[in-house]
Amino acid sequence: MAIINSCNCKLAPGQNGKSKHTYCPTESHFTDKQSFQEGYEGIGKPRNRNGIESFEEVPMSVALLTYMGWGIVILIGYVKEFLLSFVPSQNPERNREGYAPLYSSFESFYTRNVYRPIRDCWNRPICSVPGAELVLKDRVTHDNGWTFSFTNTFTKCLNMGSYNYLGFAECEGPCATAAQKTTHSLGLGVCSPRQELGTLAIHKELETLVTRFVGAEDAITFGMGFATNALNLPSLVSKGCLVISDENNHASLILGLRLSGATIRVFKHNNMKSLEAKLREAVVQGQPRTYRPWRKILIVVEGVYSMEGSIVNLPEIIALKKKYKAYLYLDEAHSIGALGPRGRGAVDYFGCDPKDVDVLMGTFTKSFGSAGGYIAGSKKLINHLRIHSHAHCYATSMSPPVAQQIISSMRIIMGEDGTDEGQRRLVQLSRNSRYFRQKLRQLGLIVYGNDDSPVVPVLLFMPAKIAATSRELIKRGVASVSVGFPATRITESRSRFCISASHTKEMLDKAIEAMDEVGDLLRLKYSRLPIPVGPVIFGEDNKPQQDQVD
């Protein structure tokens, strides 16, 4: 029986097995009566989104062993380099006298001694469509990761690493056919920026469709997802502005904010008390030394965090944004198409009004199986970006077949193709995500994030287990992504699984069985939370039992 409090909000396991109050639908910002864009009439009503979101703390003993492991790896590296200093280099650099080093000494040391010996676990070449399954091109190294040679053999694996959330990365079907026809009629490239001769009718069609899809007044699209953040944020904030950024925001957001020249302050991940404290201080104190008010305050968050698997607490952030008269920038790169009953991101997931988010950003590289990104919002905002955005003024326009892939897949999601294929994929992704995550929890693995998130991180901790997990999963026919420092905190190395609507239950069971074997082999089952009881039934909303909640 689920635990219910006075406001009917379920308690979800949080840090260290303790419970926390999650996404309460009785907050005042759910009850405001507002007008909505066409297709959004039902949005804004209380929507009970209580997926379990767990961030179990690192056990102290494991944290100490992890620090020791990193210390040993670095110590061995220094000893090895000290001994090699007495041996003449086989590949000495020539004509470099007087040049400054390209890398800092420790960065170069880390690359040589930590990353390169296990480089076979990354940058793996594939020779197939990255669908539910993929084919890896096998390779070997004979010089400790400096170079690789192909073996002319191939390994077919279950693809648990690509962001192909809705399974639109296909070489056949309506999307591929439409993209092929567009290639024949419009070619592959435009060879000009949008502001010059690079705007085609298909670009206008795409922007109109995106505007309807996200429920905004207008939208602008770009040819690269990373650049959508990195090159547009400097057009929105500058010196004298304050940005309050989530500590786990993506590198593209961080780069864009640094380029802007704005003052950046960081709040704890998805922590509303930390965010409100930063907002209150900014409003009361103003700018340093002068105490003048900030020109503008911008809150920057993501819909789904790609390393944590967590979902932004959007209703409460909107409430704080309104309370302190700030602006809100929402990066929906991993949530657009993957969250919500209609696949329209975190805004749809929580039933919020799209107008409450000042800047709606997203990419087409995940759920739509294509490339590029968009920003949607008010007409005034989009007109400003059309003039001042470096990505719009200087970058080459989006390739026509890439734009057609987005249009075709988006229309399928919206049901405008006359079928229910889009809804089927959305339901399948939701079922797959919940089933896979809950089965991993039953194995005793520490799994981060929200049940409704298609990103499923499993904590590994020890540096030696990063490569070992990746290699052992490949042996069992499962391709995933292992991640460690500096991409994560030094004590939070992880293996990240990305769920797709194209995965079947049998495929997920294969990955779960492989992770069970690897977990026993490498001793990855660190969780101290009570093991969930009862069977996890595929396709059902499995609720936690009484003894699952502390």
Side-chain angles (χ1 to χ4, degrees):
M1 180 177 180
I3 295 180
I4 308 293
N5 63 13
S6 58
C7 63
N8 295 321
C9 184
K10 295 182 177 62
L11 296 174
Q15 291 192 348
N16 204 21
K18 297 179 181 178
S19 300
K20 64 181 181 180
H21 199 56
T22 309
Y23 307 148
C24 177
T26 61
E27 299 292 336
S28 60
H29 50 265
F30 279 98
T31 59
D32 296 335
K33 293 183 178 180
Q34 301 167 343
S35 60
F36 302 99
Q37 295 286 334
E38 182 181 354
Y40 276 78
E41 294 82 358
I43 302 301
K45 297 180 180 179
R47 181 169 292 166
N48 193 13
R49 296 295 177 196
N50 292 310
I52 294 176
E53 188 158 297
S54 178
F55 288 96
E56 186 178 349
E57 287 184 346
V58 182
M60 183 60 68
S61 58
V62 175
L64 290 174
L65 290 172
T66 301
Y67 280 119
M68 288 176 59
W70 281 105
I72 291 171
V73 169
I74 293 173
L75 178 62
I76 292 174
Y78 277 117
V79 171
K80 183 180 71 173
E81 297 215 336
F82 173 75
L83 296 176
L84 289 176
S85 65
F86 297 101
V87 180
S89 175
Q90 296 180 355
N91 299 295
E93 290 188 340
R94 303 180 189 278
N95 303 318
R96 298 297 299 173
E97 294 79 8
Y99 284 86
L102 292 176
Y103 302 98
S104 66
S105 57
F106 182 77
E107 183 179 355
S108 179
F109 168 85
Y110 188 90
T111 301
R112 291 192 305 272
N113 295 280
V114 179
Y115 168 70
R116 186 172 290 125
I118 58 175
R119 196 159 66 95
D120 61 292
C121 298
W122 293 278
N123 310 313
R124 289 191 176 107
I126 67 172
C127 46
S128 69
V129 174
E133 296 178 314
L134 52 74
V135 178
L136 297 177
K137 194 169 184 179
D138 299 330
R139 55 183 181 167
V140 295
T141 178
H142 302 289
D143 49 12
N144 202 33
W146 278 90
T147 61
F148 290 92
S149 301
F150 291 118
T151 62
N152 293 324
T153 60
F154 307 91
T155 301
K156 187 176 182 180
C157 292
L158 178 61
N159 181 11
M160 301 296 291
S162 298
Y163 303 133
N164 186 24
Y165 296 138
L166 292 181
F168 283 117
E170 303 167 312
C171 60
E172 56 185 21
C175 295
T177 301
Q180 184 180 17
K181 290 180 179 178
T182 301
T183 302
H184 287 302
S185 60
L186 297 178
L188 291 173
V190 183
C191 304
S192 179
R194 289 288 302 274
Q195 280 199 350
E196 296 178 9
L197 299 174
T199 298
L200 302 176
I202 196 170
H203 296 131
K204 292 291 188 181
E205 180 185 358
L206 174 59
E207 290 174 348
T208 301
L209 186 63
V210 170
T211 300
R212 289 198 295 115
F213 185 70
V214 301
E217 292 181 6
D218 202 356
I220 183 173
T221 58
F222 308 93
M224 181 181 179
F226 190 98
T228 304
N229 279 329
L231 298 183
N232 282 295
L233 279 167
S235 303
L236 301 176
V237 289
S238 58
K239 187 177 180 180
C241 300
L242 174 65
V243 176
I244 304 180
S245 174
D246 190 288
E247 66 178 347
N248 288 336
N249 274 343
H250 190 262
S252 60
L253 292 169
I254 296 171
L255 176 60
L257 294 176
R258 288 176 177 173
L259 291 173
S260 71
T263 300
I264 305 169
R265 293 178 184 167
V266 177
F267 69 95
K268 295 179 181 178
H269 176 56
N270 238 355
N271 188 314
M272 297 303 103
K273 290 184 179 179
S274 175
L275 174 58
E276 184 166 17
K278 299 289 184 183
L279 286 167
R280 187 186 297 113
E281 179 186 2
V283 171
V284 173
Q285 298 293 336
Q287 299 186 42
R289 293 188 296 276
T290 64
Y291 301 105
R292 292 178 178 176
W294 296 99
R295 291 173 54 198
K296 69 180 76 166
I297 300 175
L298 179 67
I299 303 169
V300 179
V301 293
E302 296 184 40
V304 169
Y305 291 85
S306 59
M307 282 295 174
E308 310 301 318
S310 53
I311 298 176
V312 65
N313 196 343
L314 187 60
E316 290 193 33
I317 290 179
I318 289 175
L320 290 174
K321 167 239 176 187
K322 291 180 177 179
K323 180 178 178 180
Y324 291 96
K325 310 302 181 185
Y327 293 94
L328 177 58
Y329 186 108
L330 176 61
D331 179 345
E332 296 237 52
H334 287 268
S335 52
I336 194 70
L339 281 186
R342 294 172 302 168
R344 303 186 188 188
V347 175
D348 186 28
Y349 178 80
F350 287 108
C352 299
D353 183 1
K355 292 181 180 178
D356 286 337
V357 181
D358 301 284
V359 186
L360 286 160
M361 178 270 172
T363 63
F364 304 121
T365 54
K366 283 86 177 175
S367 297
F368 304 96
S370 190
Y374 70 86
I375 287 181
S378 65
K379 287 187 177 296
K380 185 177 181 180
L381 167 70
I382 302 307
N383 289 336
H384 171 83
L385 290 176
R386 292 190 197 281
I387 298 173
H388 295 95
S389 168
H390 289 179
H392 190 75
C393 298
Y394 303 112
T396 301
S397 297
M398 182 184 292
S399 173
V402 169
Q404 184 59 57
Q405 166 72 20
I406 302 165
I407 292 171
S408 300
S409 57
M410 191 173 290
R411 282 179 173 161
I412 291 174
I413 296 171
M414 297 171 73
E416 294 184 359
D417 63 331
T419 71
D420 62 350
E421 177 63 17
Q423 190 63 31
R424 184 197 68 78
R425 295 190 187 219
L426 292 170
V427 172
Q428 184 71 19
L429 176 62
S430 177
R431 289 175 175 175
N432 287 354
S433 300
R434 284 181 166 270
Y435 176 78
F436 187 75
R437 187 182 294 271
Q438 292 170 8
K439 289 290 285 186
L440 290 183
R441 283 206 188 103
Q442 280 193 337
L443 298 179
L445 299 164
I446 294 182
V447 182
Y448 272 9
N450 192 292
D451 271 3
D452 292 324
S453 168
V455 179
V456 185
V458 176
L459 274 291
L460 308 177
F461 300 111
M462 314 292 181
K465 296 182 180 181
I466 299 173
T469 301
S470 178
R471 291 165 179 164
E472 290 297 328
L473 285 173
I474 289 292
K475 291 179 183 178
R476 291 162 175 78
V478 178
S480 68
V481 177
S482 290
V483 189
F485 180 81
T488 67
R489 292 179 180 86
I490 198 167
T491 58
E492 295 185 1
S493 301
R494 65 198 63 185
S495 184
R496 185 183 64 181
F497 299 91
C498 293
I499 308 303
S500 172
S502 60
H503 290 142
T504 64
K505 179 180 179 296
E506 291 71 27
M507 292 177 178
L508 297 179
D509 287 336
K510 175 183 177 180
I512 293 164
E513 181 182 358
M515 199 60 200
D516 188 19
E517 294 176 3
V518 174
D520 289 332
L521 178 66
L522 302 180
R523 299 183 181 275
L524 302 176
K525 300 179 179 180
Y526 299 108
S527 181
R528 297 181 298 174
L529 293 178
I531 301 297
V533 298
V536 177
I537 302 175
F538 182 79
E540 291 190 7
D541 187 10
N542 298 283
K543 300 296 184 182
Q545 302 298 321
Q546 177 75 32
D547 60 350
Q548 287 181 255
V549 181
D550 183 11

